[in-house]
Amino acid sequence: MENKWVLPLALSLFITVLSLAAAAKPVLPPVFIFGDSTADVGTNNFLPASKARADFPPNGIDFPGTSKPTGRFSNGLNSADFLARYFGYKRSPSPFLSLKTTSLQKKKFNGINFASGGSGLLDTTGQTMASHFLGEQLTLMKFGTGNIPFGASFKNQKKFISLTEQIQQFSSVKNNLTALMGSVATEKFLKDSLIFISTGSNDLFGYYHSKSSIPKEKFLSSLEVAYENHLKTLYNLGARKFGIISIAPIGCCPSQRIFNATGGCLEELNDNAIAFHSRLDALLCKLSSEYKGMKYSLGNSYEMTINVIQNPLPFNFTQVAAACCGTGKLNAENFCKRGANLCLNRDQYLFWDRFHPTQAASKLAAIALYSVLLSLVIAVLNLAEAAVPAIFILGDSTADVGTNNFLPGSMARADFPYNGIDFCNSTPTGRFSNGLNTADFLGFSFASGGSGLFDTTGQRMTKNCIPLAEQIQQFSSVRSNLTALMGPVATETYLSKSLFFISIGSNDIFEYYSSNSSIPKEQFLSSLVLAYENHLKTLLNLGARKLGIISVAPIGCCPSQRFFNATGGCIEELNDHAKAFHSKLDVLMHKLSSEFEGLKYSLGNAFEMTINVIQNPLAFNFTQVAAACCGTGKLNAENFCKPDANLCSNRDQYLFWDRFHPTQAAYKLAAVTLYGGGPQFVTPINFAQLAEA
């Protein structure tokens, strides 16, 4: 399950975060894009025989700077362009067929777009539209004549470029890179590159309209096998980082609505898209466990789009059924071409033509996909293998990835359903989440659910947890083993470059508040910060120098606390404690940085990050920020998530998984913000800048 759309009201804020992230991280490696017309940036312009082309007006009427048709099936840019822009490039890389061999020698080579309108997962897909298919073999270009186009053998006769041939083109690029850079450098180059794939819609269209006698499940299985083979081929060619975009609710395209007497969506087509996403999710999970070094992010294009179709006005769309450009019913009887009807309010239309989104819709999709794919980019930066040799995470249940599974008698455990329902193979892992948590997006964990800054915190409630002091002792043991293996000097260097992330303090404040302690608030908070200071000094004396500190969120807004408020609102006194603790922590970190030579830190303001979502939920695709997704009773907050609890189906739209913990979607949003956010959320530098420091 993934994060999805971002509301226009929050676009300026979110795009600011994106730009800060781009500015903070190193230069990204190239992006290679595969797929169909949803990502085609002009490939089919070079295929004179192709009928799937958009290199004529009014296509491109809103293209930046020129208002000219470019071959994109859009009034301007498409999602590939916007994604590339958010990753730091001007727009999507150029089509393979437009490139010359000298393109690879450019200092800022940003990748290649292979996508071709009409193509699909199956080689036969698109043949009906393209009349026939000529499968001549690819002739690999040799270096020596820089003006020879890579794709000379593809031009003139082709109607479209199948995914199989797109991958052959990628193979040609690899061969040329090897000739230019050598095999070792090329292997690393491709290993660090991003591979985006957006395909499958044409296969489903073809199957549905052919009235095939092949059973649905058998057809979907054949698509899954085809996808698996394509991914394996790319992997064997050196690709490791995959951003996969699944199929949108294609039954809601204007071209399909005209077959429905009511003008509604064709639900059978939509059901096929949903079923295919589930298969793709399972396939990627399987492959990532079988193939060493394979990383992926799966963007749920169906949920992204159906959310807008069902709630158009919050996203500034007034028309989600008809095409902006076309003829006849819903402007969907013919493609967009000269003389077609053309809407004036193009930014308020979801669809540009009978199949494709407008530039406005593509931009919205790209923003949503970026939030999904940024974890992949973090993997691309390869922090643990480059400037950052190791990542150590300490804390409580927000970062526990299974520690408490090994503590007999502990009541703070999550190694049973429904926990982990969205984890690979729906396996409960001990994470207090429906899937991954923030630690998964950032590093490796000592964290233990129920623990706190005080040794006594959590012991009464959980019966058995590992307090922060003991987690640091475990790290000390690791340090001793490293010293035995590497020697003291190498170990000191190793640890000084490593990242140490700490997420803790919530349980201490919960227990203080619920105990009705007579200790004044200020005295308690001062003792809490003093404990934090002592723990950090111990870590620093053990060699840590890069600290990523995550402060306490607005815990008064957890479902477990709202439960005690007659109105269902937040417990503001608890929130005030969290805010005050952050302020004291800010002062502490500034003090320590002046006392310990070489100390660099990032302080993540979990309060501001979370309250921003609670106050503007739709902006981040959350429709429920008060109740838990899994639990029982009022707000699903009377009991913890367990096998007989109530379980929401739209988990990515819930902020809270259970009565205390965020959903996977919320964890991922937090990781993205910590990694690339601006000073409103992370000071004095963000986690990306900390890694580089």
Side-chain angles (χ1 to χ4, degrees), residues 397-401 431-433 435-442 667:
S397 56
T398 58
D400 188 341
V401 295
R431 292 163 172 83
F432 295 81
S433 168
L436 303 176
N437 65 23
T438 305
D440 292 291
F441 298 109
L442 295 176
Y667 275 126

Side-chain angles (χ1 to χ4, degrees), residues 173-338:
V173 172
K174 179 188 177 183
N175 288 342
N176 284 318
L177 284 171
T178 302
L180 180 67
M181 304 165 58
S183 57
V184 175
T186 298
E187 181 180 356
K188 185 180 187 308
F189 184 84
L190 296 179
K191 177 183 176 183
D192 290 341
S193 295
L194 293 169
I195 309 294
F196 291 154
I197 306 176
S198 176
T199 193
S201 297
N202 291 327
D203 302 277
L204 292 188
F205 279 134
Y207 169 73
Y208 179 80
H209 288 291
S210 70
K211 306 298 182 184
S212 173
S213 60
I214 300 172
K216 168 187 169 182
E217 287 302 314
K218 185 176 181 180
F219 170 71
L220 291 176
S221 294
S222 69
L223 282 191
E224 183 182 346
V225 169
Y227 219 137
E228 180 173 7
N229 290 335
H230 291 311
L231 291 174
K232 285 180 177 178
T233 301
L234 283 167
Y235 179 92
N236 290 330
L237 286 169
R240 292 295 183 271
K241 311 297 191 297
F242 297 88
I244 308 295
I245 302 169
S246 64
I247 300 173
I250 55 176
C252 295
C253 289
S255 62
Q256 307 308 299
R257 288 177 181 265
I258 63 173
F259 295 110
N260 189 330
T262 67
C265 304
L266 293 184
E267 294 305 335
E268 186 177 348
L269 258 176
N270 285 352
D271 290 344
N272 290 350
I274 295 171
F276 183 66
H277 176 85
S278 297
R279 287 174 171 268
L280 191 52
D281 195 10
L283 170 64
L284 290 167
C285 172
K286 176 174 89 80
L287 291 178
S288 66
S289 64
E290 293 176 358
Y291 287 83
K292 182 180 179 181
M294 179 180 174
K295 304 287 184 183
Y296 76 91
S297 290
L298 174 61
N300 192 334
S301 190
Y302 187 94
E303 290 296 333
M304 294 175 184
T305 310
I306 205 70
N307 191 33
V308 175
I309 291 172
Q310 293 173 349
N311 304 281
L313 291 180
F315 301 97
N316 199 41
F317 292 110
T318 58
Q319 178 54 265
V320 295
C324 173
C325 182
T327 62
K329 180 182 177 183
L330 297 177
N331 263 359
E333 293 182 15
N334 288 289
F335 275 104
C336 177
K337 54 187 178 181
R338 292 181 182 87

Side-chain angles (χ1 to χ4, degrees), residues 453-469:
L453 288 159
F454 297 138
D455 289 351
T456 55
T457 296
Q459 299 302 326
R460 180 176 61 85
M461 291 294 296
T462 68
K463 307 300 183 186
N464 195 0
C465 66
I466 300 176
L468 184 57

Side-chain angles (χ1 to χ4, degrees), residues 51-63:
K51 294 182 179 180
R53 292 171 62 159
D55 54 346
F56 48 83
N59 294 294
I61 189 172
D62 298 310
F63 193 81

Side-chain angles (χ1 to χ4, degrees), residues 96 292 505 685:
F96 172 82
K292 182 180 179 181
I685 55 176

Side-chain angles (χ1 to χ4, degrees), residues 586-648:
D586 193 13
V587 173
L588 170 64
M589 295 311 301
H590 182 73
K591 169 176 170 280
L592 290 177
S593 67
S594 65
E595 295 177 359
F596 285 81
E597 183 180 357
L599 170 59
K600 302 290 183 184
Y601 73 91
S602 296
L603 175 58
N605 192 335
F607 189 95
E608 287 299 326
M609 289 162 51
T610 310
I611 207 72
N612 188 40
V613 175
I614 290 172
Q615 292 174 349
N616 304 282
L618 290 179
F620 302 93
N621 193 45
F622 293 110
T623 58
Q624 177 55 266
V625 295
C629 173
C630 183
T632 61
K634 177 185 175 183
L635 297 175
N636 261 359
E638 290 186 23
N639 290 291
F640 276 103
C641 177
K642 50 188 178 180
D644 60 348
N646 302 319
L647 179 67
C648 71

